[in-house]
Amino acid sequence: MIKAKEDFLKNDFIPLLGKLHADAKAKWGIMNAQQMVEHFADAVKNASGKLILPTLTEGENLQKSRDFLMSEMPFKENTNNPLIPKEGIPHRQPDIQSAINKLQKELSHFFEVFEKNPNLKTGNAFFGQLDYNMNIQLLHKHAMHHLKQFGLV
């Protein structure tokens, strides 16, 4: 199952995002298409250890979060992320294609990092310390959430 999710992230995710128009309307949420792509790039940077975030989930809530993570239950529409400002995230790239290209670079970096250090664990604000398989699970679940948000799956 993880292999299929890894393959999806390596081969299918970016081409699907390539179908996303800058003015695409989300079915839910506050982010526009480019903000979503840049937000996902940050999630990948976090998964590779390049972006360190504070831990927001502790104790028994952490175990509940990890149980959810490893399940096949999707993220709910309008899932609250306290790390995203209410007004959304300002664009950092000049256009959506540049944002997608940056995301592709971050995904490649993520896979390189774990190829060099397969036992690495990286910290996630909501799910704690994650190994490679847990990061793949999270990135795939997160990708599917946003692809559904913009009607790409």
Side-chain angles (χ1 to χ4, degrees):
M1 183 68 95
I2 289 296
K3 178 71 171 130
K5 292 174 182 181
E6 175 187 73
D7 289 346
F8 175 85
L9 291 166
K10 285 182 175 180
N11 304 313
D12 302 325
F13 183 46
I14 297 297
L16 282 169
L17 289 177
K19 298 176 182 179
L20 186 60
H21 297 281
D23 60 353
K25 300 291 182 220
K27 294 180 179 182
W28 68 82
I30 60 169
M31 289 187 279
N32 64 37
Q34 184 171 335
Q35 287 172 320
M36 178 275 289
V37 172
E38 292 183 7
H39 156 73
F40 200 90
D42 286 345
V44 176
K45 288 197 294 193
N46 179 240
S48 71
K50 194 188 259 191
L51 176 63
I52 308 298
L53 299 171
T55 302
L56 302 176
T57 310
E58 298 177 327
E60 68 181 51
N61 288 335
L62 180 59
Q63 187 56 51
K64 288 178 185 174
S65 292
R66 290 168 77 94
D67 290 346
F68 164 75
L69 169 62
M70 297 313 292
S71 77
E72 294 307 314
M73 288 177 48
F75 285 114
K76 292 179 184 172
E77 294 177 7
N78 289 309
T79 297
N80 181 42
N81 183 336
L83 299 173
I84 298 176
K86 296 281 186 244
E87 64 279 3
I89 304 163
H91 293 171
R92 295 185 304 265
Q93 300 298 318
D95 54 52
I96 193 163
Q97 189 56 55
S98 298
I100 292 169
N101 293 344
K102 176 72 173 163
L103 172 55
Q104 176 62 70
K105 288 178 186 171
E106 294 301 339
L107 279 167
S108 295
H109 176 73
F110 166 80
F111 288 112
E112 289 170 13
V113 164
F114 277 94
E115 187 175 305
K116 290 177 184 171
N117 189 354
N119 296 319
L120 178 68
K121 289 189 177 184
T122 57
N124 180 276
F126 306 103
F127 302 103
Q129 293 294 306
L130 304 180
D131 64 17
Y132 178 74
N133 288 343
M134 295 170 91
N135 271 302
I136 291 292
Q137 176 74 9
L138 175 56
L139 290 173
H140 182 267
K141 186 180 289 228
H142 193 179
M144 296 308 293
H145 172 74
H146 287 302
L147 291 171
K148 288 176 187 170
Q149 179 185 22
F150 283 89
L152 297 170
V153 293

